[in-house]
Amino acid sequence: MVTLTKTKYVLKINGKLTSKNVSETQKKIEYALTRYNNLSINISGIEKMDISGVFMLYLIKKTAVEKQKRVSLSGLNNKAFKNALKTTGVSNLFITKFCTKYTSIEKC
């Protein structure tokens, strides 16, 4: 589930971010990108995440860059997120795209 806090331009993802709901979640975030130039996506409420969720977050960041918008992630210490990065082996991708001043996801 994605919740938009309009005053802060924060999207909060709760529950599962898997192949079963990733398209719906991506559409909601992409819609928010059409309305706002600077978004923060809080992933601390994710309970389960698979490779589809990881890839969707990557695509959102890529789309934002192409549209000259800013997207940041918060809640990166989320256990489900860390497990998904470990399982998929794309931790460095997230460090590069979201956490450029850090060398590990733990410090991001």
Side-chain angles (χ1 to χ4, degrees):
M1 178 176 171
V2 176
T3 308
L4 176 61
T5 306
K6 292 183 181 181
T7 57
K8 294 184 179 181
Y9 311 112
V10 174
L11 292 161
K12 182 160 182 160
I13 302 174
N14 295 310
K16 297 178 182 178
L17 187 57
T18 65
S19 59
K20 293 180 181 180
N21 71 336
V22 74
S23 294
E24 177 185 325
T25 302
Q26 184 173 348
K27 286 177 188 175
K28 290 178 181 179
I29 295 171
E30 286 175 347
Y31 174 74
L33 272 176
T34 65
R35 298 184 63 198
Y36 306 111
N37 291 324
N38 190 356
L39 291 176
S40 176
I41 301 172
N42 184 324
I43 61 170
S44 63
I46 293 176
E47 298 167 5
K48 183 177 181 183
M49 181 182 239
D50 66 9
I51 191 167
S52 299
V54 172
F55 189 62
M56 186 272 304
L57 290 174
Y58 169 77
L59 288 177
I60 290 296
K61 179 64 172 185
K62 186 175 184 235
T63 300
V65 169
E66 290 169 358
K67 294 182 178 186
Q68 298 179 335
K69 307 238 179 173
R70 287 191 64 200
V71 172
S72 61
L73 284 179
S74 62
L76 295 175
N77 286 326
N78 177 288
K79 186 177 179 179
F81 174 69
K82 284 184 172 184
N83 286 340
L85 288 182
K86 185 177 179 181
T87 301
T88 60
V90 294
S91 184
N92 287 336
L93 174 71
F94 273 83
I95 293 166
T96 303
K97 290 293 179 186
F98 288 101
C99 319
T100 54
K101 66 181 180 176
Y102 299 108
T103 57
S104 72
I105 199 70
E106 287 77 24
K107 295 179 182 177
C108 188

